[in-house]
Every structure is written in C-alpha cells, then in structure tokens.
Amino acid sequence: MSAAEFAYRAAAAARRPASWLQLLKFGLVGGSGYLVNLGVFALLSGTLGIHHIAAAIGAFCVAVSSNFFWNRHWTFAAGHGHAGFQAARFFAVSIAALAINLVVLEVLVSSAGLGELSSQAIAVAVAMPFNFLGNKLWTFA
C-alpha cells in the first residue's frame, strides 16, 4: 500500500462512526496489553535485572499474543479471515510499533534520564496510533 493510499484510507475511516467504536475497542484491548506489557517489563527489568531493551522485547512478546486474539475476534471481528495471514500482518505491524517503542524508550532512558518503567509507559503510548492504523487499514481490512 502506497503512502497516498494509506492517507486516503485513513481519512475515509475517520469519517465513519464505526471506526471510532473500533478505536475504543482497540484502546481497551491495548490497555489490557499495556498493563501486561508493563507488568512483564517490571518483572524482567526490576525483579530479574534484565537489561531494559531485552525486557521490553520480552514484554512485547507476551502482550502481543493476547492483543492479536482480542483484536481479531472482538475489535475488528475479523475471525472470518485466514488467521495465519492476519497473524503475519499483525506481527509485522506490531514489530514496526515495537521499533518505534524501542527508539523512544532508549531516548528517554539515555538522554532524558527518566526511569525505565516511566520511559516504557511513554514509549508504548507513543507507538499506539501507528499500531491502530496499521491494523485497521492493513491487517484486518
């Protein structure tokens, strides 16, 4: 999908009330995944002393599995599609969002001097809009 097509589809989706309901559902699923992510991150980085980047990747792996299930079946009601195909796209979007997350996390920890957990909380929130649009317009379209 080209950047122009993506922008056109995003603008069209923003005009539909159903898109806003999906955004709310995505936010609820994401909120639960966010809590899972932060809980696993705190366990790995704080309790087990694992480096914050490795802890963020581990937390991502746990949270993304739950998020795929709930977004596929509840947020986007895309259970009719091929699960493997959707999973591949979902994980591609999620990995791109993880890359955004990791860059923001590292900048906040290294340059801004924020604590690791606070930085992770901010980094996950920064990556969320990209994650929603990628899944709405590509994964479960």
Side-chain angles (χ1 to χ4, degrees), residues 104-140:
V104 172
L105 173 64
E106 189 59 31
V107 167
L108 293 174
V109 169
S110 298
S111 300
L114 291 176
E116 292 179 347
L117 187 57
S118 299
S119 296
Q120 175 68 351
I122 293 167
V124 170
V126 167
M128 183 191 172
F130 172 82
N131 202 351
F132 174 73
L133 288 172
N135 283 306
K136 175 166 182 58
L137 301 176
W138 188 54
T139 303
F140 299 114

Side-chain angles (χ1 to χ4, degrees), residues 55-136:
I57 292 169
F60 164 83
C61 290
V62 174
V64 76
S65 299
S66 172
N67 285 0
F68 172 72
F69 176 84
W70 288 110
N71 279 316
R72 180 173 190 262
H73 292 287
W74 186 57
T75 304
F76 299 107
H80 60 278
H82 187 276
F85 182 72
Q86 291 171 339
R89 285 185 169 197
F90 185 85
F91 290 117
V93 170
S94 296
I95 288 170
L98 175 64
I100 293 167
N101 175 323
L102 294 176
V103 168
V104 172
L105 173 64
E106 189 59 31
V107 167
L108 293 174
V109 169
S110 298
S111 300
L114 291 176
E116 292 179 347
L117 187 57
S118 299
S119 296
Q120 175 68 351
I122 293 167
V124 170
V126 167
M128 183 191 172
F130 172 82
N131 202 351
F132 174 73
L133 288 172
N135 283 306
K136 175 166 182 58

